[in-house]
Amino acid sequence: MSTLDTLAQHGPVIPVIVIERLQDAVPLAQALVAGGVKVLEVTLRTAAALPAMEAIAKAVPEAVLGAGTLRTAADAVAAKNAGCVFGVSPGFTERLSAACNDVGLPLLPGVASASEVMRANDAGHRFLKLFPATAVGGVALLKGLAGPFPDVAFCPTGGISLKTAPEFLSLPNVRVCGGSWLTPADAIAAGDWARITQLAREAQALRA
């Protein structure tokens, strides 16, 4: 069983994490793991992202660490070298898929339409990220995709909250969903790790 196949076994929500300061990386990861959330997607959106991944990989080995916002082959190599065990991309390209395969980094590629699902399928991907989920049709789109793609599972991400996540998670073709609400910027800035642990516990309880 691949790393991607096991992601949903750890819980119903993957936090989409933006780290601005390196010193926040380890305590943030520890707070999420303390709340039962082990799968962590750290996005490549800041200068601190790669050093943060390296720090988490070393200090929080129980975390299942992934790199989000992969866009290029160089991103795939950097994520693998930083200690990540899976990658997530906002969209899909054959070049990125091949690069991740070359370095042994399982990829959860982003799609937003039936045509993109087919392209990703052609490259061997059957577990896909629907992004930006609510903007492109949300639950209604996922229900529509279930008919022609009965063998494809999704991780919807983008615009999902604690309140709306259960509707997504109730769909048979949704394994897990992604959300940024677990790691609010103000809580990270304040070092309010107890709040993040509580948000992690609430997320884990969505599919108890």
Side-chain angles (χ1 to χ4, degrees):
M1 185 175 287
S2 73
T3 299
L4 290 182
D5 290 331
T6 66
L7 292 186
Q9 296 180 8
H10 295 284
V13 181
I14 298 175
V16 180
I17 305 166
V18 178
I19 296 177
E20 299 284 352
R21 303 179 304 190
L22 177 57
Q23 62 264 33
D24 294 328
V26 170
L28 173 59
Q30 291 172 332
L32 288 165
V33 170
V37 173
K38 293 184 178 181
V39 181
L40 312 180
E41 177 192 338
V42 177
T43 61
L44 279 173
R45 300 181 188 179
T46 68
L50 285 170
M53 293 172 191
E54 293 175 358
I56 292 170
K58 292 175 182 176
V60 194
E62 61 269 42
V64 181
L65 182 62
T69 325
L70 297 184
R71 296 171 55 193
T72 67
D75 289 341
V77 173
K80 179 71 173 182
N81 290 341
C84 293
V85 297
F86 71 97
V88 185
S89 59
F92 173 79
T93 69
E94 287 79 4
R95 180 176 292 183
L96 178 60
S97 175
C100 287
N101 188 59
D102 287 345
V103 299
L105 186 71
L107 176 66
L108 179 62
V111 298
S113 69
S115 294
E116 292 172 13
V117 171
M118 291 173 66
R119 285 179 59 199
N121 288 171
D122 281 348
H125 301 281
R126 289 293 186 276
F127 182 26
L128 310 174
K129 167 183 172 177
L130 182 71
F131 179 81
T134 57
V136 298
V139 168
L141 178 56
L142 286 161
K143 288 180 177 179
L145 292 173
F149 303 108
D151 58 337
V152 178
F154 294 90
C155 169
T157 303
I160 299 174
S161 67
L162 179 66
K163 182 178 180 180
T164 61
E167 188 175 7
F168 284 92
L169 292 168
S170 70
L171 300 176
N173 60 344
V174 171
R175 288 187 186 175
V176 63
C177 68
S180 58
W181 82 84
L182 282 75
T183 56
D186 60 338
I188 297 174
D192 190 353
W193 310 125
R195 178 182 169 197
I196 288 174
T197 294
Q198 180 56 36
L199 289 169
R201 290 192 180 116
E202 291 172 356
Q204 282 294 96
L206 287 173
R207 190 183 273 167

